[in-house]
Amino acid sequence: MFTNDTLKGRTALVTGGGSGIGLEIATAYARLGASVMIVGRNEERLQAAAEGLAREGGPVQTRKCDVRNYDEVKQAVEATVGRFGSLDILVNSAAGNFVCPTSELSPNGWRTVIDIDLNGTFYGCHAAYPHLKASTHGGSIISIITMLGVTGWPGAAHAASAKGGILSLSRTLAVEWGGDGIRVNTISPGPIGDTEGVRRMYIEAGKGDLEAQKTALGRFGRKEDIANAAVYLASDLGNYVTGENLIVDGGRWLKYVAN
Ligand code: COA
């Protein structure tokens, strides 16, 4: 759908790029000409992902990194620039979550998810800033959130709060860093059928049809739907878009509000 040179000459760093939506975005970027660094906590998963990415053509690099650790994030950013010469696109896709009633959630459980999702995103943005500012294409930050961070997410107060915080952080940075030529956006995926999370939480729990019917389109999305949105926002196609939350949820949020 996009031409092969849509992201030619750009370098992207994708956190959580070893699996799921992060890997799908990294794959689309590599296919469209970008050099890609994927980071994550699991080295084996990163290696397997890199082998698949290499088949897409673009140069690929991996690095073990826990986004809860600012120094590791900064080193990953520096390694990206050291290897590819620039950093133009940051995708914050690393996330952690589990379902737990808030009354039973331990302070450490709360802190763990806030650390991965919200603090990890801040660390990425902060470490990448000088390089994104120097990008000849104009820097682009894309963070993966969910509209459950806006509506509230019973059973996942930590993740809801983190995702809501990322939305606010992104809008803030869009204004603060707009003058530096950096665009800052979020994507809110709906239920994506070919992800581990939806498989585990809905399909294997026998709630697949019920959850699909909660969307206006009556079906789950696919990872490539999110990757296409991430290409649009990272490329010149989205050149005047900043501070936006692109909702790619098959109308789930709207149906929730309308009903
Ligand atoms: N229910 C309640 N509390 C939980 C929990 C659950 N299912 N999973 C973790 N916690 C709590 C732990 O009990 C611990 O708190 P404590 O010290 O008070 O007992 C705290 O969270 C940290 O847990 P730990 O397992 O040490 O953290 P971790 O860094 O190894 O992993 C996650 C944290 C979020 C990544 C992990 O829960 C996980 O693997 N989740 C599933 C995978 C995932 O999140 N994928 C992304 C989907 S968006």
Side-chain angles (χ1 to χ4, degrees):
M1 284 185 238
F2 300 103
T3 58
N4 288 344
D5 60 354
T6 300
L7 295 173
K8 195 165 186 290
R10 292 173 210 234
T11 298
L13 168 59
V14 183
T15 72
S19 62
I21 286 172
L23 175 55
E24 191 77 14
I25 292 172
T27 305
Y29 285 0
R31 191 177 297 145
L32 300 176
S35 303
V36 180
M37 166 72 94
I38 54 172
V39 302
R41 281 191 299 165
N42 185 318
E43 212 143 13
E44 276 173 25
R45 199 183 291 159
L46 286 175
Q47 279 317 318
E51 282 165 28
L53 279 174
R55 287 193 286 275
E56 301 296 338
V60 176
Q61 187 93 352
T62 67
R63 191 176 175 95
K64 190 168 182 289
C65 168
D66 186 336
V67 295
R68 289 175 279 195
N69 183 320
Y70 182 74
D71 290 340
E72 287 185 24
V73 173
K74 199 162 171 51
Q75 285 160 15
V77 166
E78 300 306 331
T80 308
V81 177
R83 168 68 176 82
F84 298 122
S86 65
L87 178 62
D88 309 287
I89 305 159
L90 169 69
V91 178
N92 295 301
S93 184
N97 191 16
F98 53 82
V99 173
C100 181
T102 306
S103 57
E104 292 164 27
L105 181 63
S106 74
N108 193 36
W110 166 271
R111 193 163 40 238
T112 298
V113 172
I114 296 289
D115 255 356
I116 299 170
D117 294 18
L118 179 57
N119 294 343
T121 297
F122 168 75
Y123 294 161
C125 295
H126 191 272
Y129 168 72
H131 304 289
L132 296 173
K133 184 179 172 183
S135 165
T136 52
H137 301 278
S140 174
I141 299 174
I142 297 161
S143 301
I144 307 302
I145 60 166
T146 162
M147 286 304 286
L148 293 165
V150 177
T151 61
W153 194 351
H158 42 12
S161 305
K163 298 296 190 180
I166 296 169
L167 179 65
S168 194
L169 171 67
S170 299
R171 288 175 169 165
T172 301
L173 297 183
V175 175
E176 280 197 28
W177 295 353
D180 296 318
I182 302 172
R183 297 183 295 106
V184 190
N185 295 290
T186 53
I187 296 175
S188 288
I192 303 301
D194 50 351
T195 56
E196 183 222 317
V198 164
R199 208 167 35 240
R200 190 163 33 91
M201 283 194 308
Y202 300 151
I203 299 173
E204 285 170 9
K207 296 195 293 185
D209 286 345
L210 182 72
E211 291 300 327
Q213 290 312 314
K214 287 184 182 172
T215 70
L217 294 178
R219 58 181 167 83
F220 289 143
R222 296 162 306 160
K223 285 184 287 193
E224 69 179 88
D225 295 320
I226 308 307
N228 286 336
V231 171
Y232 164 70
L233 287 175
S235 71
D236 287 340
L237 296 163
N239 206 20
Y240 202 48
V241 181
T242 195
E244 175 62 9
N245 176 36
L246 184 48
I247 304 171
V248 188
D249 74 345
R252 186 187 190 283
W253 175 77
L254 212 49
K255 191 166 177 178
Y256 171 86
V257 173
N259 290 337

